[in-house]
């Protein structure tokens, strides 16, 4: 009985060894398959990382190129704006001097008008033109008794369909030129922002 028992135990052990070996072989196959899958996944991840790095570098280079392009255009725009500003300042200076010269001209015209009004003139009186002495002026020369004091009486000036006295037109000219000079010195009016207009309303 002991021999049969030993044989039975030996047979069981051999079966156990065979089963264990089969399990180990199956486990090795599973591990190998998993290892292959992991390796393939790692390769895909590596490829994806390289592609992402390439895209990142390309996007970074494109961004740098765009920034340089914008900076270049901005520099050109600033240079053009500075040139325009210098030109406008030059024109403003010239116009300002021209307006100042016009104001001087107006002042001289006003003073000339005042001088003419207060300066007496000598001429032949209207009453003397109907006398015989006036008819015989070419024979005997000019008779001093026919001379009299004449005042300066300027005619009205027509401007834009209306008649003005010379003093009125001079004053209007001075007012217009002075207003133009003030507007030139003040500069253009700054438009108010929509938010400010809303608050004011």
């Amino acid at each position: 009985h002991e021999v049969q028992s030993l044989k039975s135990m030996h047979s069981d052990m051999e079966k156990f060894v065979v089963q264990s070996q089969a399990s180990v072989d199956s486990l090795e196959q599973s591990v190998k398959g998993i290892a292959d899958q992991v390796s393939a996944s790692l390769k895909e991840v590596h490829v994806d990382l390289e592609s992402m790095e390439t895209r990142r570098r390309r996007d970074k280079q494109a961004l740098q190129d765009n920034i340089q392009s914008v900076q270049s255009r901005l520099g050109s725009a600033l240079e053009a704006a500075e040139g325009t500003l210098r030109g406008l300042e030059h024109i403003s200076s010239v116009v300002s001097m021209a307006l100042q010269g016009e104001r001087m001209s107006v002042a001289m015209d006003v003073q000339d008008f005042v001088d003419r009004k207060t300066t007496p003139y000598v001429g032949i009186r209207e009453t003397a033109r109907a006398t015989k002495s006036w008819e015989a002026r070419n024979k005997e020369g000019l008779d001093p008794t026919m001379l009299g004091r004449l005042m300066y009486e300027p005619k009205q000036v027509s401007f834009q369909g209306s008649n003005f006295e010379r003093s009125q037109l001079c004053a209007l000219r001075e007012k217009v030129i002075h207003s133009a000079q003030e507007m030139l010195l003040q500069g253009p009016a700054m438009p108010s922002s929509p938010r400010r207009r809303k608050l004011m309303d």
Side-chain angles (χ1 to χ4, degrees), residues 104-201:
M104 294 178 184
S105 176
V106 171
M108 289 188 293
D109 290 344
V110 171
Q111 187 60 43
D112 182 67
F113 177 76
V114 173
D115 293 342
R116 286 175 179 269
K117 290 287 288 185
T118 56
T119 300
Y121 295 89
V122 177
I124 299 175
R125 296 191 301 271
E126 290 295 331
T127 56
R129 295 178 181 273
T131 62
K132 295 181 179 180
S133 299
W134 173 253
E135 296 177 355
R137 65 186 184 281
N138 293 330
K139 299 179 180 179
E140 301 177 357
L142 185 62
D143 186 0
T145 59
M146 293 187 298
L147 300 178
R149 180 178 178 178
L150 302 179
M151 299 303 297
Y152 176 64
E153 297 178 357
K155 302 297 183 182
Q156 290 185 337
V157 180
S158 177
F159 178 72
Q160 292 185 346
S162 300
N163 294 326
F164 295 89
E165 297 292 339
R166 290 179 183 267
S167 58
Q168 294 177 344
L169 199 58
C170 285
L172 180 60
R173 181 185 175 192
E174 161 63 17
K175 183 178 180 180
V176 171
I177 295 175
H178 181 68
S179 298
Q181 192 175 29
E182 289 294 325
M183 292 177 63
L184 180 65
L185 294 176
Q186 292 175 2
M190 297 299 293
S192 58
S193 63
R195 182 179 180 182
R196 183 178 178 183
R197 287 199 299 267
K198 184 176 181 180
L199 291 176
M200 292 176 63
D201 294 340

Side-chain angles (χ1 to χ4, degrees), residues 46-60:
H46 182 69
V47 171
D48 292 340
L49 288 176
E50 288 182 347
S51 178
M52 290 178 62
E53 181 66 18
T54 302
R55 288 199 300 269
R56 187 188 68 81
R57 291 178 180 176
R58 185 172 60 248
D59 294 342
K60 182 179 180 182

